[in-house]
Amino acid sequence: MEISQVRYFLAVAKELNFTRAAEQCNVTQPALSRAIKLLEDEFGGALFHRERRFTHLTELGRMVETYLEGVFENSRQAKQIAEQYVHLKKTPLKVGIMSTIAPDEIIELIAAVRAHHPGVELHLCDADAVSLRRRLLEGDLEAAIYALPSNVPDEDVHSLPLFQEQMVMAVHLNHRLANQRSVRVKDMSNETYIHRNNCEFAGYADAILAEQGVTVSPVYWSDRDDWTLAMIAAGLGFGFMPEHTAKHPGVVPLPITDPEFWREVNLVTVRGRRHSPAVGALVREATQKRWFGERAKALSAAE
């Protein structure tokens, strides 16, 4: 059964005249009659009594009319939804955001998407980078913005670089290292440490510290960067965090050297997966945006 057959049936049921129904459907009467006959063959019985000027529905025709009206209406609505989706008139987009990215930058991106693509309905969630990657691959998210500190390319995803930022040692104003311009990894040894549970360098940095014989003592584990910063300002320990996140009264960010730690934040999609026009809109806005005052890394690299 094809939608055109349903449309022809409903037209004849309304007009009770094959000629007028064909005109309404903009087809020839023989073509409409053949389509109705195929539908009757599929249903196993006549749908109309063809009696010259007295065409009318058979009992079978009356029985299926309501159902075919529903089929046609559902088809019309499905087509309308698809058109809205393709033309960004009403398109949901699920995006994951790494929880350690400075919120002001993400808010600017959201505002740009809403201003230039008002039909895109953003559904945002925040989580750590590992969780976002998993949800992206499982299909729960269409795109994600995160960073993972690895020199090994991730063959499962496509990463579009947005910005880089250095990781710093965040200390309180009266800390013994607060007046230095930078700190070496070895300078951290024997310091008390506030562990950020969502830090993408967890595990990765631990191995580097261990190689250099550096030992730190975690005194608190926090899911929230605002709490971490408040505790650093109170002198309860240092934090290992991105430079743009380490902004808080009473907190001094010190770039880490020997070795340096940098994170590259990317807009990530699944490699080889076909994406909606809404993802394309997000990519355009993310690459056009100035991240912390600089053009997106992907755009700069292409020039």
Side-chain angles (χ1 to χ4, degrees), residues 24-60:
Q24 178 184 319
C25 295
N26 197 29
V27 295
T28 64
Q29 182 176 330
L32 181 139
S33 296
R34 283 195 300 270
I36 296 294
K37 182 63 170 62
L38 289 173
L39 194 60
E40 290 176 326
D41 291 344
E42 185 171 350
F43 283 168
L47 299 174
F48 296 98
H49 291 299
R50 296 163 174 80
E51 299 175 358
R52 295 182 182 271
R53 293 180 299 164
F54 302 103
T55 297
H56 58 280
L57 286 163
T58 65
E59 186 64 29
L60 176 60

Side-chain angles (χ1 to χ4, degrees), residues 95-99 125-150 152-159 200 266-271 273:
V95 182
I97 309 293
M98 187 168 66
S99 55
C125 70
D126 63 277
D128 62 274
V130 174
S131 297
L132 291 177
R133 180 184 180 277
R134 173 180 52 78
R135 293 180 62 182
L136 187 65
L137 293 176
E138 291 175 350
D140 187 37
L141 300 172
E142 290 186 72
I145 298 177
Y146 64 75
L148 283 172
S150 174
V152 181
D154 189 342
E155 298 297 334
D156 293 326
V157 302
H158 178 266
S159 299
E200 63 273 21
N266 301 284
L267 174 56
V268 186
T269 55
V270 176
R271 188 178 299 277
R273 181 179 294 171

Side-chain angles (χ1 to χ4, degrees), residues 191-210:
E191 290 284 337
T192 54
Y193 170 58
I194 299 171
H195 182 83
R196 297 164 58 243
N197 292 332
N198 293 325
C199 179
E200 63 273 21
F201 282 88
Y204 179 87
D206 292 345
I208 294 176
L209 267 61

Side-chain angles (χ1 to χ4, degrees), residues 99 196 222-233 241 245 247-248 251:
S99 55
R196 297 164 58 243
S222 176
D223 289 326
R224 293 175 49 174
D225 284 346
D226 55 346
W227 284 35
T228 299
L229 287 167
M231 286 184 283
I232 294 170
M241 57 203 329
T245 303
K247 294 180 179 180
H248 188 279
V251 173

